[in-house]
Amino acid sequence: MRSSKMLFGKKLNNKGMSLVEVIVAITILGLVAVPVLHSLTTAMVYNAKARNRQEMTLTAESIMETFKGYDLDELKVRFSTGGAGIEGIRVADAGDTGVYDANPDTGTGFHCTHSSAPDPVVGDTYTFSINDMKADNGQFYDVKITATPNSIENVMVQEDMEPTRDAVFKGDRTFDTSAVDEAFDDFKRDANKDRLKNYFDGLSDHDSDGDLADPVVVIGSTELDLRDGTNVEQLYDPSASVFYVKNYIKLQERELTFDITKNGSDEYVVTPKMVYKYNLKDFPYYLKKRNAAPPVDEYDPPSSIPGNTTEFRGESKTLDYFPDDGSYLQFEVDLSSICTDGVIYKNPDTAGLNRLFIYYYPQYNLDEGKDKIIVNNTANIRNFQCYILKQRAEDINDSNTKTKESRYKGNVVINDSTSSLEVFHNFDYNIGEGSSTPSPSISGASATHSYTKEVSGGTTQLVSRFTQQEVLSYTLSLEVTQGDDPNKRTITTLESTMNERIK
């Protein structure tokens, strides 16, 4: 007999879900839940791995910086059997489990392998290993640092340098090699793009025949109309060939400025700033007669139009682009990679700051005298000394360096109200081993002193404060791995360089 009840005069159906309905519901729930749970599990595993990778990257950076603080002889001792290794780095001990011992020949700990040569030479390879490094997360990793000597350079070295009273700026060549790229990136920003568009916006001119003409460029067989700013955006694409805007970015000036200030009443601070000035130089375009259909014999030869593969009638023009006020465009270089908190010196005035050392790489892609160093002694430190030393760029060979140095002219501006700041420099030394360089322009210094290497048969003198030293430059690579072959995986890698004075 069918079971039912009455509620407020209405008959209710008390039948529950059937077994089939329950099974179907559970099946659907399972089909939905399994991929969701799998996604959650995968995300948790991925996040854990990402966390470990991030932690190990920070550890690797710390190891690399500590490693660079030792010379090669001390590193050999520290990585020898029973050596102290890298400070702050722990390795597995007898009670640890999960140890990999990736290198059964050496086992856990610090190890070094290198050539049998008594002194490092270019082409040698030194490998420093930390097997079974114990991380804060309880896991174990292997670290391998490879040091490869790649060049020997002659540098001027100050023998009595002291960190408490000397501010030191060590330049980075990559700032200069990437300068055109950074200038182009700056030029592509909206404000400058708009200015270039505005130049061509509605531009019409008269050609040499007096006919009204419009600006165009020709890329391959395609004619691009630049009037009203149309198609200007395409000029920022490398496919624009000879009309690619980057080809016409010209560096005009570099200003490397050092502000020596007093923070409050008792702290000296030295802040560097590097600014590049640039413009768009000799950008080509053509004026095409408006509403004209000239006969073939009035066309210019195709060869007279760069990049053109079809006949085209146009009068060549070039654009030198400046902002409206006639000054150069400019951008500031990010120096954070070599300056902690943007400064190279910060100490109480009782430390006795009285010297600034500027180790820099000349920017040869500028006109003579346009690579400028400015020192502002706004702290009014009396009897301050500034040492300016050109460095040899590894990526420029001896022959090119000699040629570039023969045209390079140092330009230094000293702003010092005490009138007691002295400048020591090596501007008159051709670091490519050439015979001469142009005389520098140094203004505002109370005295200038030149120091050069001695020339056979000459009378040049090396200032006693400096000695010339040979420095061996190393390329460093660091790799952190986990696991043993064949399941070993790379966690993170780093690249760097270090220099060491040859003893």
Side-chain angles (χ1 to χ4, degrees):
M1 183 174 180
R2 179 175 298 178
S3 174
S4 63
K5 293 183 179 180
M6 297 294 292
L7 182 63
F8 302 117
K10 293 184 178 180
K11 192 174 183 179
L12 299 178
N13 186 354
N14 287 334
K15 292 177 63 179
M17 294 179 64
S18 68
L19 180 60
V20 173
E21 290 173 320
V22 172
I23 292 174
V24 171
I26 292 174
T27 302
I28 294 173
L29 179 62
L31 291 174
V32 174
V34 169
V36 172
L37 291 174
H38 181 267
S39 298
L40 291 175
T41 304
T42 302
M44 291 174 62
V45 172
Y46 177 81
N47 288 338
K49 289 182 178 179
R51 243 186 342 264
N52 287 341
R53 185 177 295 109
Q54 184 179 27
E55 291 173 0
M56 288 313 303
T57 298
L58 294 174
T59 301
E61 291 174 349
S62 176
I63 292 173
M64 179 72 88
E65 290 307 310
T66 306
F67 182 91
K68 291 160 64 175
Y70 302 110
D71 62 30
L72 195 62
D73 287 340
E74 186 173 0
L75 286 168
K76 291 178 185 177
V77 174
R78 284 182 166 270
F79 279 78
S80 63
T81 302
I86 292 288
E87 293 179 0
I89 298 301
R90 299 171 298 164
V91 295
D93 54 39
D96 288 316
T97 59
V99 175
Y100 294 103
D101 266 342
N103 189 338
D105 296 328
T106 55
T108 294
F110 298 89
H111 306 279
C112 173
T113 58
H114 54 86
S115 67
S116 58
D119 297 309
V121 295
V122 174
D124 281 355
T125 298
Y126 295 80
T127 302
F128 300 87
S129 303
I130 309 174
N131 295 333
D132 304 323
M133 180 187 72
K134 189 174 183 178
D136 292 338
N137 59 13
Q139 299 187 44
F140 297 91
Y141 302 85
D142 293 329
V143 180
K144 182 173 73 173
I145 304 174
T146 303
T148 306
N150 55 24
S151 67
I152 296 176
E153 300 179 12
N154 292 320
V155 298
M156 305 298 294
V157 178
Q158 172 74 25
E159 292 295 336
D160 60 344
M161 190 177 295
E162 297 179 9
T164 57
R165 64 190 183 98
D166 296 326
V168 181
F169 176 84
K170 294 182 179 179
D172 191 327
R173 171 69 177 155
T174 58
F175 296 148
D176 304 317
T177 55
S178 63
V180 173
D181 292 334
E182 289 199 49
F184 179 57
D185 289 340
D186 184 72
F187 194 78
K188 286 194 298 184
R189 293 186 176 95
D190 290 342
N192 294 325
K193 275 188 175 181
D194 289 344
R195 287 195 181 109
L196 191 58
K197 286 182 178 180
N198 291 340
Y199 177 83
F200 289 114
D201 185 13
L203 174 67
S204 61
D205 202 348
H206 292 81
D207 63 13
S208 57
D209 296 329
D211 296 323
L212 196 61
D214 296 317
V216 298
V217 297
V218 179
I219 301 175
S221 59
T222 302
E223 177 183 307
L224 296 181
D225 185 358
L226 303 180
R227 184 179 48 175
D228 302 323
T230 305
N231 299 317
V232 170
E233 189 74 23
Q234 297 185 44
L235 304 180
Y236 292 90
D237 191 306
S239 62
S241 186
V242 295
F243 296 100
Y244 182 33
V245 167
K246 184 178 178 180
N247 295 337
Y248 302 93
I249 294 291
K250 179 176 174 55
L251 301 177
Q252 298 289 347
E253 188 171 85
R254 180 180 71 168
E255 288 186 352
L256 182 55
T257 303
F258 297 87
D259 291 321
I260 306 168
T261 59
K262 198 165 188 180
N263 185 8
S265 60
D266 60 357
E267 188 176 54
Y268 287 134
V269 179
V270 181
T271 307
K273 183 172 71 172
M274 183 183 291
V275 173
Y276 272 95
K277 298 180 181 181
Y278 70 96
N279 77 323
L280 187 71
K281 182 72 173 175
D282 296 328
F283 179 77
Y285 66 96
Y286 305 100
L287 287 178
K288 178 184 177 183
K289 289 184 184 296
R290 184 180 295 183
N291 302 322
V296 174
D297 59 1
E298 290 186 22
Y299 280 70
D300 290 332
S303 59
S304 68
I305 302 174
N308 188 28
T309 58
T310 61
E311 291 186 338
F312 167 76
R313 185 170 191 260
E315 184 175 328
S316 297
K317 291 283 187 177
T318 58
L319 167 64
D320 289 346
Y321 174 73
F322 297 87
D324 296 337
D325 61 1
S327 63
Y328 292 112
L329 298 166
Q330 66 180 42
F331 67 92
E332 184 173 345
V333 176
D334 180 7
L335 299 178
S336 60
S337 62
I338 61 173
C339 301
T340 304
D341 298 327
V343 302
I344 57 174
Y345 181 93
K346 181 185 288 187
N347 259 330
D349 56 4
T350 54
L353 171 66
N354 66 358
R355 297 190 299 190
L356 169 63
F357 293 88
I358 303 172
Y359 295 87
Y360 83 108
Y361 292 91
Q363 176 52 276
Y364 295 119
N365 295 333
L366 301 173
D367 293 335
E368 186 179 282
K370 294 298 184 180
D371 193 13
K372 185 183 297 185
I373 295 175
I374 303 172
V375 179
N376 298 317
N377 182 18
T378 58
N380 297 322
I381 303 175
R382 294 194 60 82
N383 302 316
F384 196 83
Q385 296 177 338
C386 179
Y387 297 88
I388 303 174
L389 300 101
K390 295 181 295 184
Q391 300 297 292
R392 175 75 164 79
E394 297 176 12
D395 58 327
I396 305 177
N397 64 37
D398 291 340
S399 177
N400 284 338
T401 299
K402 183 187 300 184
T403 301
K404 292 176 184 296
E405 277 282 292
S406 67
R407 298 192 298 262
Y408 181 78
K409 180 175 182 176
N411 188 349
V412 180
V413 176
I414 303 297
N415 297 310
D416 173 43
S417 61
T418 71
S419 300
S420 62
L421 194 153
E422 294 182 89
V423 173
F424 299 81
H425 65 87
N426 65 342
F427 289 125
D428 56 356
Y429 169 39
N430 187 313
I431 56 179
E433 304 299 328
S435 58
S436 63
T437 59
S439 297
S441 171
I442 303 177
S443 62
S446 64
T448 61
H449 309 278
S450 167
Y451 48 88
T452 64
K453 66 179 277 188
E454 292 188 71
V455 179
S456 176
T459 58
T460 55
Q461 181 180 5
L462 191 67
V463 175
S464 60
R465 292 180 176 88
F466 286 83
T467 59
Q468 183 167 287
Q469 295 284 343
E470 285 189 323
V471 172
L472 186 61
S473 174
Y474 293 84
T475 298
L476 301 179
S477 64
L478 181 149
E479 181 183 29
V480 179
T481 60
Q482 189 176 44
D484 209 347
D485 291 333
N487 299 316
K488 184 168 69 174
R489 61 192 181 95
T490 298
I491 305 299
T492 188
T493 60
L494 293 176
E495 301 289 336
S496 188
T497 59
M498 66 180 286
N499 295 316
E500 180 183 70
R501 190 184 309 175
I502 297 176
K503 300 176 177 61

